[in-house]
């Protein structure tokens, strides 16, 4: 191994240093620090109210921390110019689905593919591929309101995949 390679810092998918978030008198995060290397599957385990969702929302740029830093693939979540790069690097599935019940499963995935600026010519194949991956290919024309809760959860996961993110953040 060359000297330049051996001295290269490890590449982290997530770097959190001194993260603090307070809601009124409740301190949800208190000086949280951790690193997750690329290619690793990791999970947050803890009781309700321990800051898991707060941390994920900060990593997804949906919430601002009070202090500390959070980086996703080296992009700072607080930086306005880098937040878009963070959002394009991740697929975030919150603990609620946020589905549109009057759309079909196929329309829903196509809608989010358009939001991520996937070219129109590539979207039909992408939607079909994702429906196949999540096991809902036969439900493409089914209204979301007609899907079971488990199917809706899989569709929500499919939404997280439309832009081929490097990292998935799955909240519960």
């Amino acid at each position: 191994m060359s000297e330049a390679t051996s001295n290269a810092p490890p590449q982290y998918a997530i770097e959190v240093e001194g993260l603090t978030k307070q809601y009124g008198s409740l301190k949800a995060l208190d000086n949280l620090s951790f690193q997750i290397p690329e290619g690793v599957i990791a999970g947050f385990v803890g009781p309700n109210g321990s800051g898991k969702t707060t941390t994920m929302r900060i990593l997804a740029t949906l919430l601002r921390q009070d202090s500390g830093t959070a980086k996703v693939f080296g992009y700072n979540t607080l930086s306005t110019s880098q937040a878009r790069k963070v959002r394009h690097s991740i697929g975030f599935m919150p603990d609620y689905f946020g589905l549109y019940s009057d759309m079909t499963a196929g329309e829903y995935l196509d809608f989010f593919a358009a939001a991520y600026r996937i070219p129109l010519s590539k979207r039909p194949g992408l939607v079909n591929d994702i429906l196949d991956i999540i096991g809902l290919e036969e439900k493409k024309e089914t209204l979301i309101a007609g899907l079971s809760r488990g199917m809706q959860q899989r569709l929500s996961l499919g939404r997280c995949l439309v832009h081929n993110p490097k990292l998935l953040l799955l909240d519960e």
Side-chain angles (χ1 to χ4, degrees):
M1 189 181 305
S2 73
E3 186 172 83
T5 304
S6 64
N7 291 331
Q11 180 62 42
Y12 294 107
I14 298 172
E15 297 176 81
V16 170
E17 183 66 38
L19 211 57
T20 301
K21 178 66 181 175
Q22 196 155 334
Y23 299 100
S25 63
L26 173 68
K27 196 169 258 192
L29 299 175
D30 187 9
N31 200 32
L32 177 66
S33 297
F34 65 90
Q35 298 169 326
I36 300 175
E38 283 191 49
V40 169
I41 296 173
F44 292 142
V45 179
N48 290 343
S50 62
K52 300 179 300 289
T53 295
T54 297
T55 303
M56 287 198 192
R57 288 181 179 166
I58 290 169
L59 292 171
T61 74
L62 298 174
L63 185 64
R64 296 176 74 84
Q65 65 266 33
D66 296 327
S67 63
T69 59
K71 294 181 182 179
V72 176
F73 297 107
Y75 301 120
N76 190 320
T77 60
L78 280 180
S79 166
T80 304
S81 64
Q82 294 182 17
R84 176 172 284 152
K85 293 175 182 177
V86 171
R87 290 189 292 269
H88 281 276
S89 299
I90 65 167
F92 177 58
M93 185 171 148
D95 55 354
Y96 56 89
F97 304 147
L99 298 168
Y100 305 115
S101 59
D102 60 342
M103 291 179 133
T104 67
E107 290 170 337
Y108 180 77
L109 293 175
D110 183 75
F111 173 78
F112 279 94
Y116 278 102
R117 299 182 177 168
I118 306 296
L120 180 62
S121 62
K122 294 184 179 190
R123 292 199 313 249
L126 175 66
V127 166
N128 289 335
D129 288 347
I130 291 173
L131 288 168
D132 182 52
I133 289 168
I134 62 175
L136 293 178
E137 56 278 301
E138 73 284 352
K139 300 293 185 181
K140 181 178 182 178
E141 300 302 324
T142 302
L143 287 176
I144 292 171
L147 298 175
S148 70
R149 181 164 168 80
M151 289 178 182
Q152 290 178 359
Q153 190 171 22
R154 285 191 271 159
L155 186 60
S156 186
L157 176 61
R159 171 191 48 83
C160 295
L161 302 174
V162 297
H163 63 294
N164 195 26
K166 292 173 63 174
L167 175 68
L168 288 177
L169 297 173
L170 308 175
D171 193 3
E172 297 195 41

